[in-house]
Amino acid sequence: MSAHETQNDLRNAMLQAMRRLAKSVSVITCIHNGQRYAMSASAVDSLSADPPSLLICINRSSSIHPPLFQGADFCVNILASNQQDIALACAGRLKGEERFTAGSWNANANGVPYLADAQASVICRQDGRFEYGTHSVFIGRIEEIFVGNTVSPLVYVDGVYTTSAPLPPELACA
């Protein structure tokens, strides 16, 4: 087996393994030179509580990558289970400004768009980045958070949208 075949096999196995990693679905938004951008993402995670920060991983071929690469601040909008239409719109069904026709959008004082009825919207000042493979990892220092009243995440696993179900009381953690 050649090194290329081994890398290809490893890539395919990794993709299959990642299908088993359930992740909450978010829509990442930003504004740059008066243009709003949005994309669905599951490659989002907390980074540190001190300072409060998170990270997002963005493919360099994504339309939101250039404004983020130029330093645009961003928002991570954590979607609720009833917001699959927004996830699909921002995953490519709609393009550009059309993506903001799905959902109810507001903007903070700096113009960063956020989803008014998301489970949570976390607005970040960009605080670092690095490139790796096909992606850039952007670090956001949290500046503002809007939290909804319910916890009912939209989840992506094995190529489909779903939601989490609570465990029976005897299996649930306190």
Side-chain angles (χ1 to χ4, degrees):
M1 188 179 307
S2 73
H4 177 68
E5 288 174 319
T6 301
Q7 282 291 47
N8 198 33
D9 290 344
L10 197 54
R11 178 189 181 280
N12 290 336
M14 179 212 157
L15 292 174
Q16 286 302 310
M18 292 301 99
R19 290 181 71 92
R20 288 144 176 85
L21 182 61
K23 297 287 286 192
S24 289
V25 179
S26 298
V27 169
I28 298 170
T29 56
C30 72
I31 189 165
H32 185 68
N33 293 333
Q35 176 67 46
R36 298 186 299 176
Y37 296 85
M39 73 165 271
S40 294
S42 59
V44 172
D45 217 331
S46 60
L47 179 60
S48 173
D50 190 17
S53 55
L54 50 77
L55 59 82
I56 59 174
C57 303
I58 306 293
N59 192 304
R60 290 186 204 165
S61 66
S62 170
S63 62
I64 201 171
H65 187 272
L68 290 172
F69 194 80
Q70 293 177 33
D73 294 339
F74 58 89
C75 181
V76 174
N77 300 278
I78 303 169
L79 299 186
S81 59
N82 64 349
Q83 294 177 315
Q84 182 177 337
D85 59 326
I86 298 169
L88 291 169
C90 296
R93 180 177 287 168
L94 300 177
K95 300 293 182 198
E97 187 65 27
E98 282 184 292
R99 291 180 176 181
F100 292 93
T101 62
S104 176
W105 296 92
N106 289 330
N108 77 345
N110 295 325
V112 177
Y114 68 91
L115 188 58
D117 57 352
Q119 285 194 110
S121 295
V122 184
I123 299 176
C124 299
R125 179 177 44 83
Q126 199 174 137
D127 199 29
R129 72 164 194 267
F130 68 93
E131 327 302 298
Y132 192 86
T134 57
H135 285 64
S136 294
V137 178
F138 297 93
I139 297 169
R141 186 176 289 222
I142 298 171
E143 294 203 326
E144 195 171 4
I145 299 176
F146 302 98
V147 178
N149 294 326
T150 61
V151 176
S152 177
L154 180 62
V155 175
Y156 192 74
V157 63
D158 198 21
V160 296
Y161 293 105
T162 187
T163 190
S164 60
L167 290 172
E170 66 273 11
L171 297 177
C173 296

